[in-house]
Amino acid sequence: MAAQSDPTRISGRAQRDRVYRKVAARLVPLLFVCYAVSYLDRVNVGFARLQMDDELWFSDAVYGIGAGVFFVGYILFEVPSNVVLHKVGARRWIARIMLSWGVISAMMALASSPASFYTLRFLLGVAEAGFIPGILLYLTYWFPAARRGRITALFLAAIPVATIVGGPLSGWLMQAFDGVADLRGWQWMFVVEAVPAVLLGLVVLRRLDDRVADATWLTPAERDLVTADVAAEDDAKAGAHASVRDTLRSGSVWLLGGIYFAVALGIYTISFWLPTIISRSGVESPLAVGLLAAVPYLVAVVAMVAVATHGDRSGERRWHTAVPTVVGGIGLVAVGLTQSSTVWALLALTVAAAAVSSAQAAFWSLPAALLSGVGAAAGIALVNSIGNVAGAVSTSLVGIVADATGSTASSLYLFGAVLVAGGLLVLTVRPERVDEERTPAR
């Protein structure tokens, strides 16, 4: 019996690849769909505002503050949520997150004033806090670093896919259901798009395993292999940011947070303002806006998986993060210069979206390479929290500046410069701390 559970029985590269393909096939599709639904429920307010403005008289500033206050609740509860997940297990905690955010997302249909709009967005952030860093932490339990970049990219590809599918869906729901049962199309959109979150929460409760040891769908030898690979990696990082206190006081963690602030600034600026930029370039139909909004993210899916796959094969992490971050900044500046033309603005948005999506996927290999244990739970959550400050800043500032100047261009120029600075900051991380040598054993 001991020989059957000996991890050396699965030592060849092809056999290891088969085991990790099996793990990925079990976990990634479910987590991918969960994140896609989560992200759509977070940013569909960008489509809703195409009708909400006319009915509720929301200015750019009101919309921007409402979109941004989501991140206040999200940031406040991010670190404690991830620490709780590490202690109680991903299955119950991720299910709780999804069920609560689904209910609150549906309640967005009840928004009738700036105050109710702000309150519901804040509560949605509280409900969703910990989901993304929780999943990123969860993936470190199942995949060693040499395989994690591509897996992380596949998971984060849910962001562009959510827009590819959700943009046209949101536009269609708003157009087709407008006036049904005396509700506006934007209200129907919030209700209909919240249902999958609740259903998926129940699926997670049934299907997700907290630990490799719980995975009865793996053989004993396969479980031992994965456990040994991940444990060997944790042993190599032993003593580095081993406690929550050490992690929160680490200069490296705060540096990573600053870098992710820049990357997230690009992600959320595009996500929340893409429909508005396309609409103001001369496209009036909500469905047409949704279809055009899908174009940049079709390219982004291909780009982010290609960059992450190349990063895994080469073991190089810094340049794979820095270059897309800088290109994303240049893309945002180009959007500001071309937003009066639908064709040119869409081209610039495509470059920016593909670049910042690739930067985000490549970035998450950096904290995963530096942190382990409960320190990883707190560190990943802290980095994500700092990054999500960018969500509040970008959405609010763009709205306020647009009200004052009549254009989003000034904000796009500023955020483009921040992205370029963030890309340069990546290169201050010492390569020996994050880059890897490729070995056939992993």
Side-chain angles (χ1 to χ4, degrees), residues 174-187:
M174 290 169 59
Q175 194 165 299
F177 283 74
D178 194 29
V180 175
D182 293 326
L183 295 176
R184 292 300 310 273
W186 63 269
Q187 293 174 302

Side-chain angles (χ1 to χ4, degrees), residues 10-250:
I10 306 178
S11 57
R13 180 61 186 247
Q15 291 177 305
R16 283 177 178 270
D17 288 346
R18 178 184 58 78
V19 173
Y20 284 107
R21 280 197 300 270
K22 185 176 180 180
V23 174
R26 172 78 179 197
L27 300 181
V28 174
L30 176 58
L31 298 177
F32 177 93
V33 174
C34 289
Y35 190 25
V37 170
S38 159
Y39 199 78
L40 179 59
D41 284 347
R42 180 189 301 191
V43 303
N44 58 9
V45 67
F47 292 95
R49 77 159 305 199
L50 300 178
Q51 288 182 348
M52 292 175 76
D53 284 0
D54 295 335
E55 182 174 345
L56 303 179
W57 300 95
F58 285 178
S59 66
D60 280 345
V62 169
Y63 165 71
I65 293 170
V69 79
F70 165 92
F71 295 97
V72 176
Y74 192 91
I75 292 164
L76 288 174
F77 290 88
E78 184 90 301
V79 173
S81 178
N82 223 34
V83 172
V84 171
L85 180 145
H86 183 70
K87 292 182 176 179
V88 308
R91 182 178 63 87
R92 286 177 292 173
W93 197 246
I94 291 173
R96 191 284 304 163
I97 290 173
M98 298 186 66
L99 290 168
S100 59
W101 101 52
V103 171
I104 295 172
S105 185
M107 291 174 63
M108 285 294 300
L110 302 176
S112 59
S113 66
S116 60
F117 180 51
Y118 298 158
T119 300
L120 288 167
R121 288 291 297 176
F122 174 81
L123 292 175
L124 187 63
V126 172
E128 194 178 332
F131 178 75
I132 299 171
I135 296 298
L136 293 171
L137 175 66
Y138 183 67
L139 291 176
T140 69
Y141 301 162
W142 295 84
F143 298 94
R147 299 176 182 271
R148 201 181 302 133
R150 183 170 177 269
I151 295 298
T152 301
L154 290 172
F155 167 64
L156 292 176
I159 294 178
V161 169
T163 305
I164 293 168
V165 176
L169 175 63
S170 297
W172 177 77
L173 287 170
M174 290 169 59
Q175 194 165 299
F177 283 74
D178 194 29
V180 175
D182 293 326
L183 295 176
R184 292 300 310 273
W186 63 269
Q187 293 174 302
W188 277 110
M189 184 200 70
F190 279 128
V191 172
V192 172
E193 292 182 354
V195 172
V198 175
L199 297 179
L200 283 168
L202 299 176
V203 173
V204 165
L205 201 57
R206 182 177 179 85
R207 292 274 296 176
L208 211 61
D209 295 296
D210 288 328
R211 303 171 300 166
V212 176
D214 299 329
T216 57
W217 41 274
L218 292 174
T219 67
E222 290 169 341
R223 289 196 295 269
D224 285 351
L225 170 72
V226 175
T227 301
D229 282 354
V230 174
E233 188 171 276
D234 286 345
D235 288 343
K237 296 184 290 185
H241 314 312
S243 70
V244 173
R245 169 183 268 186
D246 288 343
T247 299
L248 298 183
R249 297 170 62 183
S250 166

